[in-house]
Amino acid sequence: MLELTGITKRFGAREAVCAVSLSACAGEFVVLLGPSGCGKTTLMRIIAGLETPDEGTIRLCEQDITRRDPRERDIAMVFQSYALYPHMTIDQNIGYPLRVRKRPAAEIEAAVKNVAARLGLSGLLANLPRQLSGGERQRVALARAIIRRPKAFLMDEPLSNLDARLRVEMRAELKHLQHELKIVTIYVTHDQAEAMTLAHRIAVMRDGKIQQYDTPANVYHRPVNTFVAQFVGSPSMNLIPHGSVILGVRPEDVQLSASAQTDASPGRIYVTEEMGNETIVVVRDGSSQITARCPAGARFEFDSPVWYRFKPGKVHRFDSSGTRIQE
Amino acid sequence: MNRRRIPEGFPWVLPSLLVLLALSIYPLIYSVKLAAADRGNFTRLFTDRLFLTASIQTIVLTIAALAIEFFLGLALALLVDSLARGRMFFRTALLIPMLLPPVVAAVAWRLIYNPQFGVLNGTLRWLGFHTAHLTWTSGESSALASVILVDVWEWTPFLFLLLSAGLQAIPPEPLEAARVDGAGAWRIFRDVTLPLLKPTIVLALLLRAMDLVRIFDQIFILTQGGPGTATETVSLYIYRTAFRFSNFGYAAAMSFVLLAATMLFSRGLLRAMRAR
């Protein structure tokens, strides 16, 4: 469906994307996840045609589109800043992709009305973008993308400018919308929660390379290296050096008890954070720091002694370079 | 203390206030007095053929120069903006005409235009053209065009500079969005670039138009308004009336009319651009 092979992009001497290969099936929701500067946005811009790769090919629906102009790719994109046309009204914004394609006015009007109704924008069509709230603008950007039923969607951190509550709301809407439209979607984010909740598959990127490309469950439960292990999951996975290997334990796999246990190690409470539905406890053991996720209501005093142990079978092992050791 | 207090800072602004009064406010009031002293000054305007000719020539010159400078400046700005490298070089190089003192530029052009010894006709002769009939600023029919050419040469960089800055200020995202949405270069320019550049365009046209309406120095040096009155604009006619014929009252009346016309023109332009 969408297939990238050996995509490399250099800016001067710096390799922003190096030899990335990635494929997405029809209707698949793929999330590119990584810290800022990891090349995920560049990769997306290459798919859109806004950047040309130095090496590699892009195929969309069995066609090589590597050298095609953006307008000949039939891909729609939602920008982080929404990139609405500030001088056009909302209905002009949404209808623009169809107007450019010289579709009959009646058809455009009907399509705009249809999409606007679907995204709850019907009452705003005569307004200018600057008269809209952030969440509304975001939906306009989405509407403009879906109106022409493209072959693929690209979304560049579309939710990052929204406040926390709205972000979670839009996340769910987006997921449902994608499910309805069944159009292959490439979604860029640095937010691991967005990646986990939205994706069919996550591509975790770092320094222009894909570290792991797998389902959210596998990325979470079988991270290929310490980078992926720490980047996915909140709070992050505990990494504890242990001889020549590094042990990795998710906070929910750390058990605490206030009294001495035979197979537990002693430590001291550093801080506790009550989240309401759960409590995050940070334990100090010498120089290392272990985060545990405890049920709501767990009570520990600062600096009080505590014993921690790891749930059996839940410990990940990485070698000294950070690569997962396969059991 | 019951009496009204003088603001504390008053003594400090007093010197500049006095200078302003002496050099700006008083002359303004005086010129109103001069113009109004004889009601005939204003009625004469409507029957003065010279004033009519000068007005028409001013309008022709303003519109022609403005149009050419705008399209040339916009084309250059778009061209330089699209360059991958060398932008700084071209931007600086294109500004040179504007950086010359207008008087120097005008004197240089008078020499260039000289039918016998000028470099323009010299070059044309060298290329094999007959130049006997090319009299440029001294030709009745070519004088105004020659004056316009000098203005275009000198002030296109100004429009280029403003429009260039305007293009730079357009955020890249809407342009990229238009590309992805399927627009070609021309549609992007028409649908996105031009509308976003509009505030800059209005400002540039306005500034340039106000300058053109009261153009004086270049014409004074190039042709003195001649031959005959072929290049006489309103400001030159005002100058001639005041300082050659010493009719200060009539000159003052004309300058007020010129001022009013400029303001009306500016308002008209602003309104026309806003309505679009």
Side-chain angles (χ1 to χ4, degrees):
Chain A
M1 186 55 215
L2 177 65
E3 207 171 323
L4 311 182
T5 322
I7 297 288
T8 297
K9 175 73 186 176
R10 298 179 198 91
F11 291 113
R14 200 174 65 84
E15 278 203 336
V17 176
C18 35
V20 165
S21 295
L22 184 135
S23 68
C25 317
E28 195 173 17
F29 201 128
V30 172
V31 171
L32 303 179
L33 174 68
S36 56
C38 74
K40 57 191 191 300
T41 296
T42 307
L43 187 59
M44 163 160 294
R45 290 172 59 85
I46 288 172
I47 301 172
L50 295 171
E51 306 277 355
T52 321
D54 295 312
E55 285 159 37
T57 55
I58 311 163
R59 296 177 68 82
L60 179 64
C61 297
E62 313 306 323
Q63 284 181 312
D64 188 338
I65 59 164
T66 318
R67 303 281 151 197
R68 274 198 208 164
D69 201 66
R71 66 173 161 149
E72 291 157 358
R73 295 190 180 206
D74 200 16
I75 289 176
M77 183 160 170
V78 177
F79 291 73
Q80 183 173 7
S81 59
Y82 315 142
L84 302 181
Y85 308 120
H87 56 288
M88 294 186 199
T89 59
I90 299 311
D91 63 343
Q92 287 171 333
N93 261 285
I94 298 174
Y96 190 68
L98 296 184
R99 253 184 302 140
V100 166
R101 284 172 177 74
K102 301 207 165 63
R103 303 284 262 280
E107 182 197 324
I108 298 176
E109 204 190 319
V112 168
K113 272 194 180 142
N114 179 14
V115 172
R118 180 176 210 157
L119 288 169
L121 293 166
S122 298
L124 302 169
L125 289 178
N127 291 10
L128 286 171
R130 65 165 171 272
Q131 297 167 310
L132 268 54
S133 71
E136 288 163 346
R137 284 181 214 180
Q138 212 282 327
R139 291 208 297 273
V140 175
L142 260 179
R144 190 176 60 181
I146 66 174
I147 191 164
R148 67 189 158 100
R149 299 277 174 156
K151 289 202 188 91
F153 278 133
L154 304 177
M155 303 193 182
D156 186 7
E157 311 220 8
L159 306 181
S160 63
N161 288 338
L162 303 180
D163 63 59
R165 197 179 61 82
L166 204 54
R167 197 179 311 154
V168 174
E169 233 173 80
M170 277 307 293
R171 198 167 75 190
E173 274 188 51
L174 209 58
K175 189 170 185 176
H176 190 82
L177 195 68
Q178 201 269 343
H179 164 76
E180 272 183 12
L181 296 170
K182 296 193 173 37
I183 292 173
V184 62
T185 302
I186 309 288
Y187 184 106
V188 161
T189 184
H190 61 261
D191 181 338
Q192 58 90 26
E194 259 171 43
M196 291 295 289
T197 50
L198 288 170
H200 294 130
R201 277 194 286 176
I202 300 177
V204 185
M205 288 187 71
R206 179 198 197 182
D207 298 336
K209 296 189 190 82
I210 290 186
Q211 306 288 306
Q212 184 168 7
Y213 182 39
D214 215 329
T215 61
N218 280 346
V219 166
Y220 190 81
H221 294 295
R222 297 185 58 79
V224 296
N225 57 30
T226 49
F227 174 77
V228 175
Q230 285 225 290
F231 202 80
V232 177
S234 173
S236 302
M237 181 185 278
N238 296 297
L239 292 178
I240 305 128
H242 186 77
S244 63
V245 298
I246 300 165
L247 300 181
V249 188
R250 295 261 174 225
E252 58 267 34
D253 298 327
V254 178
Q255 292 175 323
L256 299 183
S257 90
S259 55
Q261 307 269 321
T262 47
D263 55 348
S265 314
R268 278 186 184 278
I269 297 292
Y270 184 64
V271 74
T272 60
E273 297 169 341
E274 300 238 12
M275 310 293 285
N277 59 341
E278 62 184 18
T279 304
I280 306 298
V281 181
V282 181
V283 177
R284 277 224 159 155
D285 178 8
S287 60
S288 54
Q289 194 160 291
I290 292 129
T291 307
R293 175 175 277 163
C294 301
R299 291 202 158 271
F300 295 100
E301 290 300 312
F302 281 105
D303 298 322
S304 61
V306 69
W307 280 261
Y308 67 90
R309 63 182 201 120
F310 306 140
K311 281 187 195 163
K314 294 286 189 182
V315 179
H316 307 257
R317 287 165 193 281
F318 303 96
D319 66 20
S320 54
S321 69
T323 311
R324 180 182 193 86
I325 300 169
Q326 302 292 336
E327 293 86 56
Chain B
M1 289 229 279
N2 262 343
R3 68 195 167 99
R4 267 247 198 84
R5 282 189 56 195
I6 294 170
E8 244 172 81
F10 188 73
W12 306 101
V13 297
L14 191 61
S16 17
L17 202 64
L18 286 176
V19 171
L20 204 66
L21 273 172
L23 298 180
S24 286
I25 315 282
Y26 175 72
L28 184 73
I29 295 166
Y30 186 71
S31 65
V32 174
K33 220 181 93 184
L34 270 180
D38 181 358
R39 189 143 314 152
N41 282 336
F42 286 99
T43 49
R44 187 180 152 189
L45 276 169
F46 297 100
T47 53
D48 187 348
R49 293 200 70 89
L50 284 174
F51 180 72
L52 182 70
T53 317
S55 300
I56 291 170
Q57 272 156 197
T58 307
I59 292 168
V60 169
L61 179 125
T62 300
I63 291 173
L66 199 60
I68 299 171
E69 286 166 21
F70 171 69
F71 285 111
L72 221 53
L74 183 62
L76 282 170
L78 288 168
L79 190 68
V80 171
D81 196 57
S82 70
L83 291 177
R85 52 184 62 207
R87 279 195 221 178
M88 265 329 275
F89 170 76
F90 285 108
R91 204 163 287 160
T92 317
L94 280 166
L95 291 187
I96 292 173
M98 205 180 88
L99 299 178
L100 284 178
V103 174
V104 174
V107 170
W109 273 96
R110 199 171 62 185
L111 296 174
I112 292 169
Y113 276 143
N114 185 300
Q116 272 85 48
F117 317 109
V119 70
L120 183 56
N121 273 2
T123 309
L124 289 173
R125 263 196 299 276
W126 183 71
L127 289 170
F129 289 96
H130 286 286
T131 57
H133 62 287
L134 294 176
T135 45
W136 306 111
T137 46
S138 35
E140 185 86 34
S141 56
S142 59
L144 193 62
S146 304
V147 167
I148 291 171
L149 178 66
V150 173
D151 197 80
V152 167
W153 176 83
E154 183 156 19
W155 291 106
T156 299
F158 176 73
L159 280 143
F160 160 75
L161 186 71
L162 281 180
L163 295 173
S164 206
L167 282 176
Q168 293 272 301
I170 294 179
E173 288 89 2
L175 302 173
E176 291 182 338
R179 284 180 72 190
V180 177
D181 279 346
W186 166 247
R187 286 222 61 158
I188 294 175
F189 176 72
R190 202 193 70 185
D191 295 343
V192 185
T193 310
L194 214 51
L196 294 185
L197 198 59
K198 210 174 83 176
T200 316
I201 292 174
V202 175
L203 179 78
L205 287 181
L206 204 60
L207 286 174
R208 198 62 214 118
M210 291 194 316
D211 259 3
L212 274 164
V213 168
R214 55 190 179 80
I215 185 169
F216 181 81
D217 41 7
Q218 287 141 294
I219 300 179
F220 187 73
I221 290 164
L222 281 168
T223 64
Q224 301 241 351
T229 56
T231 57
E232 190 163 74
T233 57
V234 174
S235 52
L236 264 108
Y237 185 49
I238 293 172
Y239 168 83
R240 209 149 60 100
T241 309
F243 299 104
R244 291 285 160 79
F245 308 136
S246 300
N247 193 344
F248 290 100
Y250 187 42
M254 280 194 286
S255 47
F256 279 111
V257 170
L258 183 62
L259 178 70
T262 312
M263 283 165 68
L264 277 174
F265 178 77
S266 308
R267 281 195 57 149
L269 187 66
L270 275 177
R271 207 170 274 175
M273 296 305 280
R274 205 176 301 151
R276 264 219 322 155

